Amino acid sequence: MSTDQITEEAIRHLVDEFYIKVRADRELGPIFVRAIPGDWGEHFATMRDFWSSVMLTSGRYKGNPVAVHQRVEGIELQLFDRWLALFDETCGELFDETTGAAFSTKARRIAESLKLAVFYRPDRPWPKSASESASNSTSESPP
Amino acid sequence: MTFVVTDNCIRCKYMDCVEVCPVDCFYEGDNMLVIHPDECIDCGVCEPECPAAAILPDTQPGLENWLKLNAEYASVWPNITIKREPPADAKEFDGVEGKLESYFSPKPGQGD
């Protein structure tokens, strides 16, 4: 899973570049700006710690992202796909394919968990995500 | 989707997982840990950290009962985020089969 390119420096770069895109994005920008008013320094530091914990098992991030996302005003299911598209775009610009895929795979799994936590209701059908269908069809096709 | 703690944690309880978990979703029983399925974000960081290979993704077939056990006890056992010394005889129990039937304790652990 991990590659030589996954370093604290790479994570810092990814977080910086990614949130520049998020803030400028027509769909995500307003939601994030409302959720994080004022100085983004703290958010950048939090997200660096988060990805460092997830990719380098540094244990630096300790928090409750489920609760944080449940509180976000205006959060919508399809915005997770937009987030992932921008994240993939940033990874594509910064990393080789293997490294980008390592980040992207983690991001997809975490996004799916957050989506379930924020939106899942036992009495409603759960839409199969595009990423999940794609990975299923890949695993079912012959090598 | 979540990860679940399974049989081989019982009486091994190495606790390496609690240090790396970014969302502090481990709960401590007398002789094993469980993951709170609603708090786990499926990041998978804990899975390779477990010396007993007791942590598995719930997408693996046959884990329904373990998922239930994790969910049930995560709501009653105390949270654990700081690793302590594992039991002195942890190594002897690593790999013993059918520990749930023989050794599982529903009692809570000490937590942090």
Side-chain angles (χ1 to χ4, degrees), chain A residues 61-63 65 106 109 112-113, chain B residues 1 3 18 21-22 24 42-43:
Chain A
Y61 175 90
K62 292 284 179 187
K106 288 279 184 191
R109 281 165 52 168
E112 202 58 28
S113 282
Chain B
M1 284 167 299
F3 279 76
V18 309
C21 175
D24 293 342
D42 205 31
C43 73

Side-chain angles (χ1 to χ4, degrees), chain A residues 18-141:
Chain A
F18 173 64
Y19 283 102
I20 288 171
K21 287 182 195 287
V22 166
R23 275 197 283 197
D25 189 69
R26 201 167 50 84
E27 291 176 71
L28 295 176
I31 310 272
F32 273 82
V33 168
R34 188 161 53 207
I36 309 159
D39 181 19
W40 273 51
E42 201 183 319
H43 184 64
F44 275 59
T46 303
M47 294 322 298
R48 276 183 221 131
D49 287 349
F50 178 81
W51 283 104
S52 163
S53 291
V54 167
M55 301 305 288
L56 299 169
T57 64
S58 68
R60 280 222 311 268
Y61 175 90
K62 292 284 179 187
N64 188 342
V66 168
V68 170
H69 286 81
Q70 281 167 339
R71 286 197 299 265
V72 172
E73 206 183 311
I75 193 167
E76 285 174 39
L77 195 58
Q78 70 273 17
L79 290 176
F80 283 83
D81 288 336
R82 181 65 191 147
W83 190 104
L84 287 167
L86 284 185
F87 192 77
D88 284 354
E89 187 183 298
T90 318
C91 287
E93 287 161 6
L94 298 179
F95 306 131
D96 66 26
E97 211 173 301
T98 312
T99 308
F103 277 101
S104 183
T105 303
K106 288 279 184 191
R108 284 190 150 60
R109 281 165 52 168
I110 295 166
E112 202 58 28
S113 282
L114 292 176
K115 276 157 63 176
L116 281 164
V118 176
F119 295 104
Y120 176 72
R121 301 287 176 274
D123 56 334
R124 281 183 230 159
W126 183 251
K128 217 172 169 49
S129 76
S131 53
E132 204 179 309
S133 328
S135 70
N136 283 350
S137 64
T138 312
S139 63
E140 276 159 22
S141 43

